[in-house]
Amino acid sequence: MSDHRVLLLAHGSSDPKWCQTFERLAAPSLASVPDSAIAYMELSEPSLDDEIARAAREGVSRITVLPLFLAAGRHLRKDVPAMLERLSSEHQVEITLAGPVGEHPLLGDAIRHIVEESLTGTPSH
Amino acid sequence: MSDHRVLLLAHGSSDPKWCQTFERLAAPSLASVPDSAIAYMELSEPSLDDEIARAAREGVSRITVLPLFLAAGRHLRKDVPAMLERLSSEHQVEITLAGPVGEHPLLGDAIRHIVEESLTGTPSH
């Protein structure tokens, strides 16, 4: 375990199949990034609260929260920053909130490949 | 205009910046796929209702709705199919609902690149 933990933040859903898809989506990142984990904002477990408390208990002093969201709306502009401010103070850890993955141009390109493939039924990559 | 239209379905948000990010994300797909447009499920315009009505008015007989969602939860399993059944019958158009882009393995790989790059601050691709 390092001094720095990466939490891949997902919204969460009351539908367990949503979380299964999400876990598959996050799997390559979790396999590649040391000391990383998934945390859900609401409705699913483990919650962001739980994962930040666990990191603090385990002696981690710096956490990067990386939202696996397509775009930043009210949740990422208001709710999550407020949650992180409270959790940072409560657990005495430094928390950085990164931009959502959907703001990176690479994601729009990947979506184009997937859309093309969905329509033709054959891999375009 | 062809007989087949592709609607890239987004959730929608009360935050206009969310829609701006979303439009940038969809731009490569819109540029590549002929006769395609964005439609929002709720909170943003143009709505799915508006875009399907427009397609029917313009003589399109087949519509593919392709969800730019990371995973299918309640919205994509229940709300959207119910909306599409109603709209298909109302406008006499054939509507196919594709799976969300997040179910494609290519998206998890793209997210891994973006996560790695966010953490190191240098492009990994």
Side-chain angles (χ1 to χ4, degrees), chain A residues 112-125:
Chain A
R112 176 177 62 79
H113 281 293
I114 295 167
V115 169
E116 287 171 352
E117 191 178 316
S118 301
L119 295 172
T120 61
T122 53
S124 66
H125 56 98

Side-chain angles (χ1 to χ4, degrees), chain A residues 4-5 7 62-67 84 93-98:
Chain A
H4 178 218
R5 182 155 304 173
L7 295 179
R62 284 191 311 125
I63 297 171
T64 299
V65 174
L66 218 152
L84 295 181
V93 284
E94 186 193 322
I95 307 177
T96 307
L97 177 61

Side-chain angles (χ1 to χ4, degrees), chain B residues 27-64:
Chain B
S29 301
L30 293 173
S32 153
V33 176
D35 214 3
S36 60
I38 291 184
Y40 294 99
M41 194 193 138
E42 59 187 24
L43 301 169
S44 304
E45 296 288 332
S47 70
L48 190 55
D49 277 47
D50 290 346
E51 281 298 314
I52 287 176
R54 178 169 75 91
R57 251 194 338 266
E58 291 173 359
V60 167
S61 62
R62 285 190 311 126
I63 297 171
T64 299

Side-chain angles (χ1 to χ4, degrees), chain A residues 71-109:
Chain A
R74 184 178 47 81
H75 284 323
L76 289 183
R77 290 189 205 286
K78 298 194 175 168
D79 305 339
V80 172
M83 285 169 83
L84 295 181
E85 197 179 328
R86 171 179 60 76
L87 289 162
S88 172
S89 149
E90 198 174 313
H91 297 289
Q92 295 295 303
V93 284
E94 186 193 322
I95 307 177
T96 307
L97 177 61
V101 292
E103 288 183 355
H104 195 291
L106 194 60
L107 206 69
D109 287 339

Side-chain angles (χ1 to χ4, degrees), chain B residues 89-113:
Chain B
S89 149
E90 200 174 311
H91 298 288
Q92 295 294 304
V93 283
E94 186 192 321
I95 307 177
T96 306
L97 177 61
V101 292
E103 288 183 356
H104 195 292
L106 194 61
L107 206 70
D109 288 339
I111 288 175
R112 175 177 63 78
H113 282 292

Side-chain angles (χ1 to χ4, degrees), chain A residues 15 17 32 68 70 77 116, chain B residues 15 17 32 68 77 116:
Chain A
D15 184 333
K17 285 186 184 163
S32 153
L68 302 195
L70 290 178
R77 290 189 205 286
E116 287 171 352
Chain B
D15 184 333
K17 286 185 185 163
S32 153
L68 302 195
R77 290 187 205 285
E116 287 170 354

